[in-house]
Amino acid sequence: MSNGKCGLFFTSYRAEDQLLPSRFQKGALGLFLAALCAAPLALGSYHVSVLCLINIAVIGAVSLNLLTGFCGQISLGHGAFMGVGAYAAAQFSALGLPFPAALGLGGLAAAVVGMFFGIPSLRLKGIYLAIATLAAQLILEYVFLHWEGATGGSSGMAVDPPVILGLAFDTDARMFYLTLAVAVLAVLAVANLARTRPGRAFVAVRDHYLSAEIVGVNLFAAKLTAFGVSSFLAGVAGGLWAHYTMYITPEQFNIGLSISTLAMIIIGGLGSVAGSVLGAAFIVLLPEVLNAAASALGGVLPGVAMHLMAMKEGIFGLVLVLFLLFEPEGLARRWRLARAYWKLYPFAH
């Protein structure tokens, strides 16, 4: 009789709480990352640029999910926090600082601003906190537009491509590897933070703040920490965006960016790191799919193709409403169901 084990057996909470408890999961993730690293060798420059945008969007989505999904603090000012990081990183790079230092300082600047606007979270929650963060978005947009000495105002600001150890990341392929590395670090950081004592405090504040306070959670410290870490990662995403596009203007960090980032975590799944990745990829790829559909229909039904392009924003809103109605837990739940099905296949029923 064989003594081989079937399934996963844990003898400690630490072992059970691993990010990837099985060898298969570790191997699958390794193959996925290897395929991503090989993607620029097989894809054209345009498609690689889309992958760069997905990487940056993943950082922004996972940062907002930490604040809203894990801690329950809704924010409509995340686009502005990304703008703070973008302009700060650009200014620090212009001063001659190395790119990693400029990117980190840009994230710190966004963290300070985010924590400042997060102070009302001690007394506000729900729709009232959303309005407070919306005010932060509008205030920062005004600053971006009128503080011409720091942002260039409406004319915008040119940014040099990042240089690390003498290597200039001035192509889409090189920027893909840079943005991928930062995105992986951001995802791992948030996933690990969720398993720590502060991360569990975030979830306690989200689920029932009164009970959390009774058991000793400092609500103000927890909320400010969530705002700070979330804004830091948002600032890093903004800094990468600035150095990738090499030109930034206030219009890039308007309320539309905040809403798009919020849509990413709603479609992907609130409180799920994997959902942040799926939601970011979905939102970035949705316009590309619509463009491809319009191009395919252009020769056959030119009128339909024209209307399809004009209805982009409407289709975006419709997709969001459909997810809220039929899959409120987002793509993360679909992913969990798919994994559970194949785990039991062919005995699933």
PDB file of all heavy atoms in Angstrom, residues 160-192:
ATOM      1  N   ASP A 160      12.624  62.761 -19.231  1.00  0.00           N
ATOM      2  CA  ASP A 160      13.611  61.902 -19.885  1.00  0.00           C
ATOM      3  C   ASP A 160      13.306  60.432 -19.589  1.00  0.00           C
ATOM      4  O   ASP A 160      12.742  60.100 -18.537  1.00  0.00           O
ATOM      5  CB  ASP A 160      15.013  62.231 -19.392  1.00  0.00           C
ATOM      6  CG  ASP A 160      15.466  63.620 -19.821  1.00  0.00           C
ATOM      7  OD1 ASP A 160      15.040  64.061 -20.908  1.00  0.00           O
ATOM      8  OD2 ASP A 160      16.231  64.263 -19.070  1.00  0.00           O
ATOM      9  N   PRO A 161      13.688  59.528 -20.495  1.00  0.00           N
ATOM     10  CA  PRO A 161      13.498  58.103 -20.214  1.00  0.00           C
ATOM     11  C   PRO A 161      14.374  57.673 -19.033  1.00  0.00           C
ATOM     12  O   PRO A 161      15.424  58.269 -18.785  1.00  0.00           O
ATOM     13  CB  PRO A 161      13.930  57.422 -21.515  1.00  0.00           C
ATOM     14  CG  PRO A 161      14.829  58.410 -22.191  1.00  0.00           C
ATOM     15  CD  PRO A 161      14.305  59.760 -21.811  1.00  0.00           C
ATOM     16  N   PRO A 162      13.959  56.670 -18.292  1.00  0.00           N
ATOM     17  CA  PRO A 162      14.746  56.241 -17.130  1.00  0.00           C
ATOM     18  C   PRO A 162      16.081  55.629 -17.534  1.00  0.00           C
ATOM     19  O   PRO A 162      16.193  54.984 -18.584  1.00  0.00           O
ATOM     20  CB  PRO A 162      13.844  55.204 -16.454  1.00  0.00           C
ATOM     21  CG  PRO A 162      12.923  54.738 -17.526  1.00  0.00           C
ATOM     22  CD  PRO A 162      12.724  55.896 -18.447  1.00  0.00           C
ATOM     23  N   VAL A 163      17.079  55.855 -16.686  1.00  0.00           N
ATOM     24  CA  VAL A 163      18.411  55.287 -16.890  1.00  0.00           C
ATOM     25  C   VAL A 163      18.821  54.602 -15.597  1.00  0.00           C
ATOM     26  O   VAL A 163      18.809  55.212 -14.529  1.00  0.00           O
ATOM     27  CB  VAL A 163      19.442  56.372 -17.267  1.00  0.00           C
ATOM     28  CG1 VAL A 163      20.829  55.749 -17.412  1.00  0.00           C
ATOM     29  CG2 VAL A 163      19.033  57.086 -18.551  1.00  0.00           C
ATOM     30  N   ILE A 164      19.172  53.330 -15.679  1.00  0.00           N
ATOM     31  CA  ILE A 164      19.589  52.558 -14.514  1.00  0.00           C
ATOM     32  C   ILE A 164      20.937  51.910 -14.830  1.00  0.00           C
ATOM     33  O   ILE A 164      21.058  51.144 -15.792  1.00  0.00           O
ATOM     34  CB  ILE A 164      18.557  51.485 -14.133  1.00  0.00           C
ATOM     35  CG1 ILE A 164      17.203  52.129 -13.823  1.00  0.00           C
ATOM     36  CG2 ILE A 164      19.031  50.677 -12.925  1.00  0.00           C
ATOM     37  CD1 ILE A 164      16.108  51.126 -13.494  1.00  0.00           C
ATOM     38  N   LEU A 165      21.953  52.250 -14.037  1.00  0.00           N
ATOM     39  CA  LEU A 165      23.308  51.705 -14.209  1.00  0.00           C
ATOM     40  C   LEU A 165      23.815  51.916 -15.637  1.00  0.00           C
ATOM     41  O   LEU A 165      24.443  51.039 -16.242  1.00  0.00           O
ATOM     42  CB  LEU A 165      23.335  50.215 -13.859  1.00  0.00           C
ATOM     43  CG  LEU A 165      22.948  49.859 -12.408  1.00  0.00           C
ATOM     44  CD1 LEU A 165      22.951  48.341 -12.211  1.00  0.00           C
ATOM     45  CD2 LEU A 165      23.893  50.527 -11.430  1.00  0.00           C
ATOM     46  N   GLY A 166      23.522  53.076 -16.183  1.00  0.00           N
ATOM     47  CA  GLY A 166      23.992  53.424 -17.514  1.00  0.00           C
ATOM     48  C   GLY A 166      23.151  52.893 -18.656  1.00  0.00           C
ATOM     49  O   GLY A 166      23.419  53.202 -19.818  1.00  0.00           O
ATOM     50  N   LEU A 167      22.129  52.077 -18.346  1.00  0.00           N
ATOM     51  CA  LEU A 167      21.267  51.524 -19.390  1.00  0.00           C
ATOM     52  C   LEU A 167      20.008  52.369 -19.505  1.00  0.00           C
ATOM     53  O   LEU A 167      19.248  52.518 -18.545  1.00  0.00           O
ATOM     54  CB  LEU A 167      20.894  50.078 -19.053  1.00  0.00           C
ATOM     55  CG  LEU A 167      19.929  49.387 -20.027  1.00  0.00           C
ATOM     56  CD1 LEU A 167      20.566  49.263 -21.413  1.00  0.00           C
ATOM     57  CD2 LEU A 167      19.515  48.017 -19.499  1.00  0.00           C
ATOM     58  N   ALA A 168      19.791  52.942 -20.690  1.00  0.00           N
ATOM     59  CA  ALA A 168      18.618  53.783 -20.934  1.00  0.00           C
ATOM     60  C   ALA A 168      17.441  52.911 -21.359  1.00  0.00           C
ATOM     61  O   ALA A 168      17.547  52.117 -22.296  1.00  0.00           O
ATOM     62  CB  ALA A 168      18.925  54.817 -22.008  1.00  0.00           C
ATOM     63  N   PHE A 169      16.329  53.068 -20.663  1.00  0.00           N
ATOM     64  CA  PHE A 169      15.113  52.328 -21.005  1.00  0.00           C
ATOM     65  C   PHE A 169      14.283  53.194 -21.957  1.00  0.00           C
ATOM     66  O   PHE A 169      13.250  53.740 -21.589  1.00  0.00           O
ATOM     67  CB  PHE A 169      14.339  51.996 -19.730  1.00  0.00           C
ATOM     68  CG  PHE A 169      14.998  50.963 -18.874  1.00  0.00           C
ATOM     69  CD1 PHE A 169      16.059  51.314 -18.039  1.00  0.00           C
ATOM     70  CD2 PHE A 169      14.595  49.640 -18.910  1.00  0.00           C
ATOM     71  CE1 PHE A 169      16.684  50.368 -17.244  1.00  0.00           C
ATOM     72  CE2 PHE A 169      15.210  48.682 -18.121  1.00  0.00           C
ATOM     73  CZ  PHE A 169      16.261  49.048 -17.288  1.00  0.00           C
ATOM     74  N   ASP A 170      14.777  53.271 -23.179  1.00  0.00           N
ATOM     75  CA  ASP A 170      14.178  54.169 -24.165  1.00  0.00           C
ATOM     76  C   ASP A 170      13.441  53.440 -25.272  1.00  0.00           C
ATOM     77  O   ASP A 170      13.140  54.024 -26.322  1.00  0.00           O
ATOM     78  CB  ASP A 170      15.258  55.069 -24.773  1.00  0.00           C
ATOM     79  CG  ASP A 170      16.450  54.271 -25.289  1.00  0.00           C
ATOM     80  OD1 ASP A 170      16.436  53.020 -25.182  1.00  0.00           O
ATOM     81  OD2 ASP A 170      17.405  54.894 -25.791  1.00  0.00           O
ATOM     82  N   THR A 171      13.157  52.157 -25.081  1.00  0.00           N
ATOM     83  CA  THR A 171      12.361  51.397 -26.039  1.00  0.00           C
ATOM     84  C   THR A 171      11.197  50.737 -25.299  1.00  0.00           C
ATOM     85  O   THR A 171      11.230  50.571 -24.075  1.00  0.00           O
ATOM     86  CB  THR A 171      13.198  50.313 -26.743  1.00  0.00           C
ATOM     87  OG1 THR A 171      13.626  49.343 -25.772  1.00  0.00           O
ATOM     88  CG2 THR A 171      14.425  50.928 -27.414  1.00  0.00           C
ATOM     89  N   ASP A 172      10.183  50.349 -26.051  1.00  0.00           N
ATOM     90  CA  ASP A 172       9.024  49.697 -25.433  1.00  0.00           C
ATOM     91  C   ASP A 172       9.421  48.384 -24.767  1.00  0.00           C
ATOM     92  O   ASP A 172       8.914  48.049 -23.695  1.00  0.00           O
ATOM     93  CB  ASP A 172       7.942  49.435 -26.487  1.00  0.00           C
ATOM     94  CG  ASP A 172       7.235  50.702 -26.915  1.00  0.00           C
ATOM     95  OD1 ASP A 172       7.023  51.579 -26.051  1.00  0.00           O
ATOM     96  OD2 ASP A 172       6.900  50.838 -28.108  1.00  0.00           O
ATOM     97  N   ALA A 173      10.310  47.622 -25.415  1.00  0.00           N
ATOM     98  CA  ALA A 173      10.709  46.337 -24.850  1.00  0.00           C
ATOM     99  C   ALA A 173      11.430  46.527 -23.513  1.00  0.00           C
ATOM    100  O   ALA A 173      11.151  45.818 -22.533  1.00  0.00           O
ATOM    101  CB  ALA A 173      11.606  45.591 -25.837  1.00  0.00           C
ATOM    102  N   ARG A 174      12.348  47.477 -23.437  1.00  0.00           N
ATOM    103  CA  ARG A 174      13.058  47.701 -22.181  1.00  0.00           C
ATOM    104  C   ARG A 174      12.123  48.230 -21.103  1.00  0.00           C
ATOM    105  O   ARG A 174      12.211  47.826 -19.932  1.00  0.00           O
ATOM    106  CB  ARG A 174      14.212  48.680 -22.416  1.00  0.00           C
ATOM    107  CG  ARG A 174      15.345  48.107 -23.260  1.00  0.00           C
ATOM    108  CD  ARG A 174      16.466  49.115 -23.439  1.00  0.00           C
ATOM    109  NE  ARG A 174      17.561  48.557 -24.216  1.00  0.00           N
ATOM    110  CZ  ARG A 174      18.669  49.225 -24.524  1.00  0.00           C
ATOM    111  NH1 ARG A 174      18.821  50.498 -24.123  1.00  0.00           N
ATOM    112  NH2 ARG A 174      19.615  48.646 -25.230  1.00  0.00           N
ATOM    113  N   MET A 175      11.218  49.122 -21.483  1.00  0.00           N
ATOM    114  CA  MET A 175      10.258  49.634 -20.503  1.00  0.00           C
ATOM    115  C   MET A 175       9.306  48.539 -20.038  1.00  0.00           C
ATOM    116  O   MET A 175       8.842  48.553 -18.889  1.00  0.00           O
ATOM    117  CB  MET A 175       9.455  50.796 -21.096  1.00  0.00           C
ATOM    118  CG  MET A 175      10.178  52.128 -21.066  1.00  0.00           C
ATOM    119  SD  MET A 175      10.652  52.657 -19.388  1.00  0.00           S
ATOM    120  CE  MET A 175       9.074  52.778 -18.574  1.00  0.00           C
ATOM    121  N   PHE A 176       9.033  47.573 -20.909  1.00  0.00           N
ATOM    122  CA  PHE A 176       8.172  46.470 -20.481  1.00  0.00           C
ATOM    123  C   PHE A 176       8.815  45.700 -19.336  1.00  0.00           C
ATOM    124  O   PHE A 176       8.145  45.387 -18.342  1.00  0.00           O
ATOM    125  CB  PHE A 176       7.899  45.525 -21.660  1.00  0.00           C
ATOM    126  CG  PHE A 176       7.287  44.220 -21.236  1.00  0.00           C
ATOM    127  CD1 PHE A 176       5.951  44.158 -20.867  1.00  0.00           C
ATOM    128  CD2 PHE A 176       8.048  43.067 -21.188  1.00  0.00           C
ATOM    129  CE1 PHE A 176       5.387  42.962 -20.455  1.00  0.00           C
ATOM    130  CE2 PHE A 176       7.490  41.868 -20.778  1.00  0.00           C
ATOM    131  CZ  PHE A 176       6.154  41.812 -20.414  1.00  0.00           C
ATOM    132  N   TYR A 177      10.101  45.391 -19.472  1.00  0.00           N
ATOM    133  CA  TYR A 177      10.765  44.628 -18.412  1.00  0.00           C
ATOM    134  C   TYR A 177      10.844  45.449 -17.120  1.00  0.00           C
ATOM    135  O   TYR A 177      10.703  44.908 -16.017  1.00  0.00           O
ATOM    136  CB  TYR A 177      12.158  44.197 -18.860  1.00  0.00           C
ATOM    137  CG  TYR A 177      12.139  43.160 -19.963  1.00  0.00           C
ATOM    138  CD1 TYR A 177      12.649  43.445 -21.223  1.00  0.00           C
ATOM    139  CD2 TYR A 177      11.586  41.906 -19.732  1.00  0.00           C
ATOM    140  CE1 TYR A 177      12.612  42.498 -22.233  1.00  0.00           C
ATOM    141  CE2 TYR A 177      11.548  40.948 -20.742  1.00  0.00           C
ATOM    142  CZ  TYR A 177      12.058  41.255 -21.988  1.00  0.00           C
ATOM    143  OH  TYR A 177      12.010  40.316 -22.990  1.00  0.00           O
ATOM    144  N   LEU A 178      11.059  46.749 -17.243  1.00  0.00           N
ATOM    145  CA  LEU A 178      11.120  47.601 -16.056  1.00  0.00           C
ATOM    146  C   LEU A 178       9.759  47.679 -15.375  1.00  0.00           C
ATOM    147  O   LEU A 178       9.655  47.486 -14.154  1.00  0.00           O
ATOM    148  CB  LEU A 178      11.595  49.000 -16.451  1.00  0.00           C
ATOM    149  CG  LEU A 178      11.646  50.040 -15.315  1.00  0.00           C
ATOM    150  CD1 LEU A 178      12.597  49.583 -14.217  1.00  0.00           C
ATOM    151  CD2 LEU A 178      12.060  51.402 -15.856  1.00  0.00           C
ATOM    152  N   THR A 179       8.716  47.947 -16.142  1.00  0.00           N
ATOM    153  CA  THR A 179       7.379  48.048 -15.550  1.00  0.00           C
ATOM    154  C   THR A 179       6.908  46.697 -15.008  1.00  0.00           C
ATOM    155  O   THR A 179       6.225  46.637 -13.977  1.00  0.00           O
ATOM    156  CB  THR A 179       6.361  48.579 -16.570  1.00  0.00           C
ATOM    157  OG1 THR A 179       6.376  47.747 -17.749  1.00  0.00           O
ATOM    158  CG2 THR A 179       6.695  50.006 -16.968  1.00  0.00           C
ATOM    159  N   LEU A 180       7.285  45.615 -15.676  1.00  0.00           N
ATOM    160  CA  LEU A 180       6.912  44.283 -15.190  1.00  0.00           C
ATOM    161  C   LEU A 180       7.568  44.004 -13.844  1.00  0.00           C
ATOM    162  O   LEU A 180       6.918  43.482 -12.925  1.00  0.00           O
ATOM    163  CB  LEU A 180       7.311  43.215 -16.211  1.00  0.00           C
ATOM    164  CG  LEU A 180       7.048  41.763 -15.792  1.00  0.00           C
ATOM    165  CD1 LEU A 180       5.554  41.520 -15.602  1.00  0.00           C
ATOM    166  CD2 LEU A 180       7.621  40.793 -16.830  1.00  0.00           C
ATOM    167  N   ALA A 181       8.842  44.353 -13.720  1.00  0.00           N
ATOM    168  CA  ALA A 181       9.540  44.115 -12.456  1.00  0.00           C
ATOM    169  C   ALA A 181       8.892  44.898 -11.317  1.00  0.00           C
ATOM    170  O   ALA A 181       8.677  44.360 -10.217  1.00  0.00           O
ATOM    171  CB  ALA A 181      11.011  44.503 -12.597  1.00  0.00           C
ATOM    172  N   VAL A 182       8.560  46.160 -11.557  1.00  0.00           N
ATOM    173  CA  VAL A 182       7.933  46.979 -10.511  1.00  0.00           C
ATOM    174  C   VAL A 182       6.531  46.465 -10.204  1.00  0.00           C
ATOM    175  O   VAL A 182       6.113  46.428  -9.039  1.00  0.00           O
ATOM    176  CB  VAL A 182       7.895  48.460 -10.932  1.00  0.00           C
ATOM    177  CG1 VAL A 182       7.229  49.301  -9.853  1.00  0.00           C
ATOM    178  CG2 VAL A 182       9.303  48.975 -11.196  1.00  0.00           C
ATOM    179  N   ALA A 183       5.794  46.038 -11.227  1.00  0.00           N
ATOM    180  CA  ALA A 183       4.448  45.509 -11.003  1.00  0.00           C
ATOM    181  C   ALA A 183       4.490  44.234 -10.165  1.00  0.00           C
ATOM    182  O   ALA A 183       3.668  44.053  -9.252  1.00  0.00           O
ATOM    183  CB  ALA A 183       3.760  45.239 -12.342  1.00  0.00           C
ATOM    184  N   VAL A 184       5.442  43.357 -10.445  1.00  0.00           N
ATOM    185  CA  VAL A 184       5.569  42.126  -9.657  1.00  0.00           C
ATOM    186  C   VAL A 184       5.904  42.449  -8.208  1.00  0.00           C
ATOM    187  O   VAL A 184       5.338  41.861  -7.271  1.00  0.00           O
ATOM    188  CB  VAL A 184       6.651  41.208 -10.278  1.00  0.00           C
ATOM    189  CG1 VAL A 184       6.992  40.063  -9.331  1.00  0.00           C
ATOM    190  CG2 VAL A 184       6.168  40.655 -11.615  1.00  0.00           C
ATOM    191  N   LEU A 185       6.805  43.401  -7.996  1.00  0.00           N
ATOM    192  CA  LEU A 185       7.153  43.799  -6.633  1.00  0.00           C
ATOM    193  C   LEU A 185       5.944  44.396  -5.907  1.00  0.00           C
ATOM    194  O   LEU A 185       5.720  44.122  -4.725  1.00  0.00           O
ATOM    195  CB  LEU A 185       8.306  44.806  -6.662  1.00  0.00           C
ATOM    196  CG  LEU A 185       9.675  44.262  -7.068  1.00  0.00           C
ATOM    197  CD1 LEU A 185      10.692  45.399  -7.161  1.00  0.00           C
ATOM    198  CD2 LEU A 185      10.159  43.208  -6.077  1.00  0.00           C
ATOM    199  N   ALA A 186       5.155  45.215  -6.613  1.00  0.00           N
ATOM    200  CA  ALA A 186       3.974  45.827  -5.994  1.00  0.00           C
ATOM    201  C   ALA A 186       2.940  44.773  -5.623  1.00  0.00           C
ATOM    202  O   ALA A 186       2.356  44.814  -4.529  1.00  0.00           O
ATOM    203  CB  ALA A 186       3.362  46.859  -6.940  1.00  0.00           C
ATOM    204  N   VAL A 187       2.712  43.820  -6.502  1.00  0.00           N
ATOM    205  CA  VAL A 187       1.745  42.757  -6.228  1.00  0.00           C
ATOM    206  C   VAL A 187       2.200  41.914  -5.047  1.00  0.00           C
ATOM    207  O   VAL A 187       1.407  41.589  -4.143  1.00  0.00           O
ATOM    208  CB  VAL A 187       1.540  41.886  -7.486  1.00  0.00           C
ATOM    209  CG1 VAL A 187       0.769  40.620  -7.143  1.00  0.00           C
ATOM    210  CG2 VAL A 187       0.804  42.676  -8.562  1.00  0.00           C
ATOM    211  N   LEU A 188       3.479  41.544  -5.024  1.00  0.00           N
ATOM    212  CA  LEU A 188       3.993  40.753  -3.909  1.00  0.00           C
ATOM    213  C   LEU A 188       3.930  41.530  -2.602  1.00  0.00           C
ATOM    214  O   LEU A 188       3.612  40.966  -1.542  1.00  0.00           O
ATOM    215  CB  LEU A 188       5.435  40.326  -4.194  1.00  0.00           C
ATOM    216  CG  LEU A 188       5.625  39.262  -5.279  1.00  0.00           C
ATOM    217  CD1 LEU A 188       7.103  39.014  -5.523  1.00  0.00           C
ATOM    218  CD2 LEU A 188       4.932  37.963  -4.875  1.00  0.00           C
ATOM    219  N   ALA A 189       4.219  42.824  -2.663  1.00  0.00           N
ATOM    220  CA  ALA A 189       4.188  43.645  -1.447  1.00  0.00           C
ATOM    221  C   ALA A 189       2.790  43.693  -0.864  1.00  0.00           C
ATOM    222  O   ALA A 189       2.600  43.514   0.348  1.00  0.00           O
ATOM    223  CB  ALA A 189       4.699  45.055  -1.758  1.00  0.00           C
ATOM    224  N   VAL A 190       1.782  43.939  -1.700  1.00  0.00           N
ATOM    225  CA  VAL A 190       0.407  44.026  -1.202  1.00  0.00           C
ATOM    226  C   VAL A 190      -0.085  42.658  -0.735  1.00  0.00           C
ATOM    227  O   VAL A 190      -0.759  42.548   0.300  1.00  0.00           O
ATOM    228  CB  VAL A 190      -0.517  44.604  -2.285  1.00  0.00           C
ATOM    229  CG1 VAL A 190      -1.972  44.542  -1.838  1.00  0.00           C
ATOM    230  CG2 VAL A 190      -0.124  46.044  -2.592  1.00  0.00           C
ATOM    231  N   ALA A 191       0.241  41.600  -1.490  1.00  0.00           N
ATOM    232  CA  ALA A 191      -0.184  40.262  -1.086  1.00  0.00           C
ATOM    233  C   ALA A 191       0.407  39.870   0.264  1.00  0.00           C
ATOM    234  O   ALA A 191      -0.269  39.264   1.103  1.00  0.00           O
ATOM    235  CB  ALA A 191       0.209  39.241  -2.156  1.00  0.00           C
ATOM    236  N   ASN A 192       1.662  40.219   0.493  1.00  0.00           N
ATOM    237  CA  ASN A 192       2.286  39.900   1.775  1.00  0.00           C
ATOM    238  C   ASN A 192       1.785  40.819   2.886  1.00  0.00           C
ATOM    239  O   ASN A 192       1.620  40.374   4.027  1.00  0.00           O
ATOM    240  CB  ASN A 192       3.808  40.003   1.658  1.00  0.00           C
ATOM    241  CG  ASN A 192       4.421  38.777   1.014  1.00  0.00           C
ATOM    242  OD1 ASN A 192       4.486  37.707   1.603  1.00  0.00           O
ATOM    243  ND2 ASN A 192       4.858  38.926  -0.231  1.00  0.00           N
TER     244      ASN A 192
END
